[in-house]
Amino acid sequence: MSEVVENPRGGCVLAGINSVLGAIDRVCPIYHAGPGCCMQSTASDQGQSGNKNSCFVSSVSIPSTNMLEREVVFGGTKKLETTIQGAIDIMDADAFFVLTGCTAGIIGDDIESITEKFKEKGHKVYPIDTPGFAGDSNLGYEVIWNTMIEQVMEEPKEKVENLVNLFGIIPYHDPFWSGNLEEISRLLKKLGLKVNTFFTEHQTIETIKTAPEAALNIILHPWIFKGPAGKFSEKFGVPSIRYPGIPIGASDTKRFLFMVGEALNIDDRLLNEVIEEEDDYVYHYLAQAIGTLSWKRFAVAADASTAVGITRYLANDYSFTPVLVVITEPIFRQEDKERIIAELTSLEYARPPKVVFTADQYEINKGLMEEEDITLVIGSSNEEEITSLKEVQFIVAAFPIKDRLIFNRAYAGYRGSLTLIEDLYDNL
């Protein structure tokens, strides 16, 4: 029997695909789907930005075939062909990706044959035949990168020893994705590395094409990107390391930098100089905040990457006590759950919190209500109501965020941790 989930987070697989495409400069998605599919799938992943993406095509102006009964009965390939041509005529894009919605997936329209016609004319048009019902937006993140590996990336002419690719920070699904990528990139550049974030610094499809030239893939996530990482290694010989969550604050960011340094054989003297400089910077500001925030017993309700990062930072660096951590995305592999639990329970200065895996808002609310001695909740806009009933401090810091416009604020790294403390103080 199917399970009913209240307030599921994220959208369908199509939403996850489009969240990535919407963040790449000069790339245009084209939907082969029914009316409203574009707005519904993208709004769920991009709502915290006012339903606008950061780069090329806003989430409410994506070209779409708007399939109706006629296309369901007779097929929609002719309409798709004219829609693609119209997009090419109007949009000054470097690449176009044709995405199938549920309607096209059910009737089995052959989108590959249509896109092939445009490729023969010299247009960069790529098909992604994965209808929305195939999975959730997390799967969509992996699907689009599998597509990039199979259809877009090229065999490297040469390897660049100091080039790295950053994966695992999902645009829009992480409300602070742009700022987090900028902060992690800033730190890696101080180590003498070149960084492909793919979504910042006006990096385009050309950056993705040359990604196999990198010496290392860095995955900042506890469980996502396993399949694409394997394909990357098999096809292009690029190894990957996984840091299991967003590194926040001095302790975890130092751990992250040491992991990168070991993987790339970075000079220990340079590595230590960068860490000492960043430690000095962040502790200089934190010293000014001594006494401004009282000790808290806290709960976190967020996706795995955010929950790991925030919990470890507040427990290890700020000496708050973690009571409950709710992982709010569906995770199916037991090995992934164990990796997440290990990160949340191997804390330096606190007893491990209770860890719950559920995407159901009813269960999340129930878990928060049952913990009577919590004085701080960090979660999404979905937890605002329950925390008002508990009359405890609440910080909205995880997807979905419905009432904040976020440009490049960051929680990651050294400087991002200062932003988190500012938000804690501002919401006393």
Side-chain angles (χ1 to χ4, degrees):
M1 184 176 179
S2 298
E3 183 180 353
V4 177
V5 177
E6 179 184 346
N7 265 7
R9 312 193 181 207
C12 66
V13 65
L14 204 59
I17 294 171
N18 196 61
S19 69
V20 173
L21 294 178
I24 303 172
D25 209 11
R26 296 186 56 79
V27 163
C28 179
I30 300 172
Y31 275 31
H32 187 38
C37 184
C38 310
M39 293 179 66
Q40 293 166 6
S41 64
T42 55
S44 62
D45 267 11
Q46 300 178 19
Q48 76 283 350
S49 308
N51 285 343
K52 301 290 184 182
N53 69 35
S54 67
C55 295
F56 197 64
V57 182
S58 78
S59 64
V60 293
S61 62
I62 296 171
S64 175
T65 54
N66 290 327
M67 300 176 71
L68 299 174
E69 290 181 11
R70 179 184 180 86
E71 285 73 44
V72 173
V73 175
F74 298 106
T77 53
K78 285 188 176 180
K79 195 170 187 180
L80 174 60
E81 191 168 350
T82 59
T83 302
I84 295 173
Q85 186 61 59
I88 291 172
D89 292 342
I90 295 172
M91 302 302 298
D92 181 25
D94 292 335
F96 300 84
F97 287 82
V98 178
L99 319 178
T100 52
C102 294
T103 305
I106 290 170
I107 67 175
D109 271 356
D110 182 8
I111 67 169
E112 290 188 19
S113 63
I114 302 300
T115 56
E116 193 60 37
K117 293 180 181 179
F118 289 94
K119 287 181 180 178
E120 291 172 358
K121 298 177 183 178
H123 300 294
K124 296 174 183 177
V125 182
Y126 305 99
I128 305 179
D129 193 6
T130 305
F133 56 72
D136 69 353
S137 49
N138 287 314
L139 175 62
Y141 180 79
E142 298 204 350
V143 167
I144 184 57
W145 282 115
N146 283 332
T147 300
M148 296 297 189
I149 293 168
E150 294 162 1
Q151 299 189 45
V152 178
M153 294 181 187
E154 300 174 348
E155 287 290 338
K157 297 177 183 178
E158 60 179 354
K159 289 289 185 178
V160 181
E161 292 184 358
N162 65 336
L163 177 64
V164 297
N165 298 321
L166 271 183
F167 296 107
I169 296 179
I170 306 176
Y172 305 105
H173 195 73
D174 176 354
F176 302 92
W177 64 273
S178 186
N180 285 345
L181 284 172
E182 289 177 0
E183 169 65 1
I184 298 299
S185 179
R186 180 187 71 84
L187 293 169
L188 294 176
K189 287 177 180 178
K190 290 186 72 171
L191 298 178
L193 300 176
K194 297 179 180 179
V195 185
N196 287 337
T197 67
F198 307 108
F199 309 124
T200 63
E201 301 177 347
H202 296 293
Q203 294 181 4
T204 65
I205 198 76
E206 295 301 318
T207 305
I208 294 174
K209 283 184 180 180
T210 59
E213 295 178 358
L216 183 69
N217 290 332
I218 300 172
I219 307 168
L220 292 172
H221 203 281
W223 64 273
I224 215 164
F225 207 75
K226 181 179 180 180
K231 289 189 176 184
F232 229 116
S233 176
E234 181 180 345
K235 188 172 182 178
F236 303 118
V238 181
S240 298
I241 61 170
R242 180 185 297 279
Y243 189 83
I246 295 291
I248 301 176
S251 298
D252 270 21
T253 307
K254 176 164 60 176
R255 175 186 167 207
F256 163 69
L257 293 176
F258 274 128
M259 180 184 291
V260 174
E262 182 180 357
L264 293 172
N265 295 316
I266 294 173
D267 180 68
D268 287 343
R269 181 181 298 178
L270 172 61
L271 192 59
N272 285 312
E273 283 179 358
V274 169
I275 289 171
E276 288 176 10
E277 185 176 297
E278 293 295 324
D279 278 351
D280 178 70
Y281 181 90
V282 75
Y283 286 125
H284 167 73
Y285 283 105
L286 288 178
Q288 302 174 31
I290 292 175
T292 60
L293 289 173
S294 59
W295 172 74
K296 301 287 183 181
R297 293 176 59 85
F298 70 93
V300 178
D303 61 275
S305 193
T306 301
V308 166
I310 290 178
T311 301
R312 290 183 60 83
Y313 172 62
L314 291 181
N316 290 340
D317 288 25
Y318 224 74
S319 299
F320 284 6
T321 300
V323 176
L324 172 68
V325 178
V326 184
I327 307 300
T328 59
E329 60 194 353
I331 299 174
F332 305 103
R333 295 189 293 255
Q334 186 60 33
E335 62 183 284
D336 295 330
K337 290 184 177 181
E338 291 174 357
R339 186 183 303 111
I340 294 164
I341 291 172
E343 289 297 314
L344 292 170
T345 55
S346 59
L347 303 173
E348 295 181 25
Y349 304 115
R351 287 195 295 181
K354 178 182 178 182
V355 181
V356 176
F357 294 85
T358 180
D360 187 353
Q361 192 65 48
Y362 173 80
E363 295 295 336
I364 295 169
N365 292 347
K366 180 180 177 183
L368 291 172
M369 285 299 295
E370 289 175 351
E371 299 293 341
E372 296 181 358
D373 56 351
I374 292 173
T375 57
L376 166 67
V377 174
I378 302 169
S380 72
S381 294
N382 292 353
E383 282 70 58
E384 188 169 6
E385 182 178 359
I386 195 68
T387 53
S388 67
L389 292 175
K390 287 181 68 68
E391 297 183 340
V392 298
Q393 184 184 358
F394 172 62
I395 303 296
V396 56
F399 178 85
I401 296 178
K402 302 174 182 177
D403 55 359
R404 294 179 66 182
L405 177 63
I406 300 169
F407 289 126
N408 64 341
R409 288 172 66 82
Y411 282 169
Y414 285 92
R415 298 187 180 185
S417 68
L418 297 178
T419 303
L420 177 56
I421 296 303
E422 289 175 345
D423 285 353
L424 283 169
Y425 182 81
D426 289 345
N427 289 275
L428 285 174

